[in-house]
């Protein structure tokens, strides 16, 4: 099905993978993005000049600009990814997370409702709003069990609590105003074009440069890793065929603790760029993140059962491909390193 879609946050990590995928699928994509520090316009260079893609440089908190974006895009669907997304930054400065993730989502929902209200019956019924969220809203798991669509919310960080609030707003706009809202809660993503403050690209680039590899606490925290292009495919499946009013959990069936992830990165970087000294020797255990959730893991059987989605890559293959992408794309990450982000420690309370 060919669609016109308004993607928010399309210049970020997951949003850019999504825009690239949807244009390749023949959709017309309008990317509403404020181009914050986390945006990497270079990620979408392949779409420059493509008449199925346009950037709308605007802030989701700006109601007038968002209204104008709807008028320009005339979307059949909204896929809402714009957010402040880094837990460590939310610990040092929570205000922008509340502003963007909560107020911004509210502003977008109101604009979507007004847009839907102006559509004729059939188009209004077909209109979809996909709110893209995280498994971090569920808090922390013990050694056993998995998060599912029925898990109670219990967020730990300013980031995850702001996402939890936005999930509640999105569902409420469905129940109260009849907006065709879908919510997805996904586990940790990795892959090409991820901003180098996040664990996997930070470790790859530090390992390459022979810098310390800072591991929080004892490295035992477990995440369920999903390749970003598998996430983008799940989002397309949900917006096309998911049932309005429903939530879908998305995960990679790839639980790994942080220390194992860092070891795997060290070993692959040693293989690709040997120096004679094992990169594992660069590992340093540093003060843990306050409120650091012990374990996340996702049961995505609903998505598999209803929409036939499964992850396409195992973690080791995806990780090796990701490392090879960073090795081949220094012109993507070097300007970011030399500009806004210098790998400083973030996320200790001010
Ligand atoms: P990111 O930080 O890489 O990108 C966020 C994008 O949103 C950037 O391009 C930024 O410029 C834009 N943005 C920020 N504030 C904005 C505003 N006020 N108005 C318009 N645009 C704004 O984030 P990501 O990792 O790609 O995550 C995208 C979404 O997916 C987020 O909603 C996040 O909560 C969710 N998510 C992320 C993960 C993950 O592992 N990265 C996992 C599950 C869910």
């Amino acid at each position: 099905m060919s669609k016109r879609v308004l993607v928010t946050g399309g210049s970020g990590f997951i949003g850019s993978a999504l825009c690239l995928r949807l244009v390749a699928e023949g959709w017309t994509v309008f990317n509403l993005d404020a181009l914050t520090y986390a945006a990497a316009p270079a990620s979408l260079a392949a779409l420059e000049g493509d008449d199925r893609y346009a950037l709308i440089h605007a802030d989701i908190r700006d109601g007038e600009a968002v209204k104008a974006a709807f008028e320009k895009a005339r979307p059949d669907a909204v896929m809402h990814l714009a957010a402040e997304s880094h837990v460590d930054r939310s610990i040092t400065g929570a205000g922008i997370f509340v502003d963007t993730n909560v107020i911004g989502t509210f502003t977008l929902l109101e604009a979507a409702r007004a847009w839907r209200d102006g559509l004729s019956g059939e188009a209004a019924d077909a209109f979809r709003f996909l709110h893209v969220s995280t498994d971090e809203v569920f808090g922390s798991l013990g050694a056993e069990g998995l998060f599912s669509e029925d898990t109670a919310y219990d967020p730990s960080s300013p980031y995850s609590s702001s996402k939890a609030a936005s999930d509640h707003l999105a569902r409420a706009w469905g129940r109260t105003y009849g907006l065709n809202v879908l919510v997805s809660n996904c586990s940790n993503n990795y892959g090409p074009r991820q901003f180098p403050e996040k664990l996997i690209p930070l470790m790859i680039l530090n390992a390459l440069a022979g810098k310390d590899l800072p591991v929080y606490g004892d490295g035992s925290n477990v995440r369920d890793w999903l390749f970003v292009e598998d996430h983008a495919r799940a989002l397309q499946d949900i917006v096309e065929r998911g049932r309005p009013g429903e939530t879908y959990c998305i995960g990679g069936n790839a639980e790994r603790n942080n220390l194992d992830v860092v070891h795997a990165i060290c070993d692959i970087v040693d293989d690709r760029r040997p120096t004679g000294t094992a990169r594992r020797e660069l590992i340093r255990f540093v003060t843990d993140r306050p409120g650091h959730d012990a374990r996340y893991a996702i049961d995505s059987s609903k998505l598999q059962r209803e929409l036939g989605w499964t992850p396409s890559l195992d973690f080791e293959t995806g990780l090796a491909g990701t490392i090879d992408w960073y090795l081949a794309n220094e012109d993507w990450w070097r300007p970011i390193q030399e500009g806004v982000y210098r790998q400083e420690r973030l996320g200790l309370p001010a």
Side-chain angles (χ1 to χ4, degrees), residues 51-131:
D51 58 10
R52 288 162 305 169
Y53 171 78
L55 171 69
I56 300 175
H57 185 187
D59 193 307
I60 54 167
R61 295 168 294 175
D62 178 346
E64 284 306 311
V66 172
K67 179 169 181 272
F70 273 86
E71 284 159 6
K72 178 170 184 191
R74 294 182 286 110
D76 309 309
V78 174
M79 301 172 86
H80 173 37
L81 291 87
E84 288 292 333
S85 71
H86 191 40
V87 176
D88 286 343
R89 286 181 191 265
S90 82
I91 296 167
T92 23
I96 184 73
F97 284 72
V98 176
D99 260 7
T100 292
N101 300 356
V102 185
I103 306 298
T105 298
F106 158 74
T107 307
L108 191 69
L109 284 164
E110 281 293 79
R113 177 162 79 99
W115 173 253
R116 186 277 320 263
D117 287 347
L119 297 174
S120 65
E122 206 176 308
D125 288 347
F127 182 74
R128 296 286 183 272
F129 187 104
L130 171 56
H131 175 69

Side-chain angles (χ1 to χ4, degrees), residues 210-288:
K211 292 185 183 164
D212 284 358
L213 304 177
V215 172
Y216 291 175
D218 62 2
S220 63
N221 304 68
V222 172
R223 301 292 180 259
D224 173 2
W225 293 97
L226 179 68
F227 189 61
V228 65
E229 290 173 22
D230 281 337
H231 188 190
R233 180 166 47 85
L235 297 178
Q236 181 183 357
D237 288 345
I238 293 168
V239 88
E240 277 190 313
R241 293 182 284 119
R243 290 181 289 138
E246 294 292 319
T247 295
Y248 294 90
C249 281
I250 315 171
N253 297 328
E255 283 184 56
R256 299 287 184 281
N257 75 40
N258 288 346
L259 188 56
D260 286 343
V261 170
V262 176
H263 281 158
I265 292 170
C266 288
D267 296 349
I268 299 169
V269 174
D270 284 346
D271 176 66
R272 303 297 198 264
R273 296 280 165 90
T275 57
T277 313
R279 264 42 175 234
R280 288 184 185 212
E281 291 182 16
L282 299 170
I283 292 172
R284 303 282 177 271
F285 294 97
V286 300
T287 311
D288 205 355

